[in-house]
Amino acid sequence: MDFEAVKRSLEAAAEETLPSPSLDILPSKFYDAFVLHGLRVDLVEPGRLLCSMTVPPRLLNTGNFLHGGATASLVDLVGSAAFYTAGARTKGAPLEMSIAYLDAAFVHEDIEIEVKILRAGKAVGVATVELRKKSGKIIAHARYTKYLAVPSNL
């Protein structure tokens, strides 16, 4: 195994996409905005959040469908926001995320992201997050666990 070739490949791919000096000037919340731009909040009720978006080209992988990392980011970001609907005082910190990728979503396809809070305790919260096509076909199903305790310095 040529470990140096692996190293060169990863470093070259990162440099080709966006040179390091360009990355250093991006604001700290750039990634969240990059993933969430275009998201619409369709329904908010206690313990449930329903959003939708049209899959943008910036979130595609090399196979030209929604990138698994973008899917995981949507689970994290939308799932975190949903804990507020259950009375949590903080978005918390992720403890565990398990995602089953079941289908692909393609560019300009409309998708829904639904979060259901299963438990929002004093310290730990658990939710299910489902990404699906407007037809109802499931793209990804996740179980998401967050640490919700409010820091004592707040």
Side-chain angles (χ1 to χ4, degrees):
M1 171 64 69
D2 185 358
F3 294 116
E4 281 302 311
V6 172
K7 178 182 174 188
R8 285 190 307 274
S9 172
L10 282 173
E11 290 171 351
E15 197 62 32
E16 281 175 23
T17 304
L18 194 59
S20 294
S22 300
L23 290 175
D24 293 339
I25 63 170
L26 295 174
S28 63
K29 294 290 184 177
F30 169 79
Y31 184 75
D32 293 1
F34 180 79
V35 172
L36 293 176
H37 183 74
L39 183 84
R40 298 174 298 278
V41 178
D42 300 320
L43 177 71
V44 179
E45 55 188 36
R48 185 170 172 240
L49 182 59
L50 180 65
C51 300
S52 60
M53 72 183 303
T54 302
V55 176
R58 70 179 181 279
L59 298 183
L60 301 181
N61 61 18
T62 56
N64 287 320
F65 54 89
L66 184 63
H67 194 289
T71 299
S73 292
L74 287 165
V75 167
D76 179 37
L77 295 167
V78 180
S80 293
F83 282 102
Y84 285 118
T85 73
R89 297 184 356 214
T90 175
K91 288 194 321 184
L95 291 175
E96 179 267 340
M97 189 168 30
S98 173
I99 305 172
Y101 296 92
L102 305 170
D103 200 4
F106 298 93
V107 70
H108 305 303
E109 189 167 11
D110 291 325
I111 63 170
E112 295 179 333
I113 303 127
E114 183 176 22
V115 183
K116 293 180 183 175
I117 303 300
L118 303 177
R119 180 178 196 281
K122 290 179 184 175
V124 176
V126 179
T128 59
V129 183
E130 191 171 272
L131 280 76
R132 62 181 171 254
K133 298 178 181 204
K134 289 290 186 173
S135 67
K137 190 167 187 180
I138 299 171
I139 299 163
H141 180 84
R143 184 171 180 106
Y144 187 49
T145 306
K146 297 281 290 193
Y147 180 69
L148 298 174
V150 177
S152 59
N153 60 350
L154 292 181

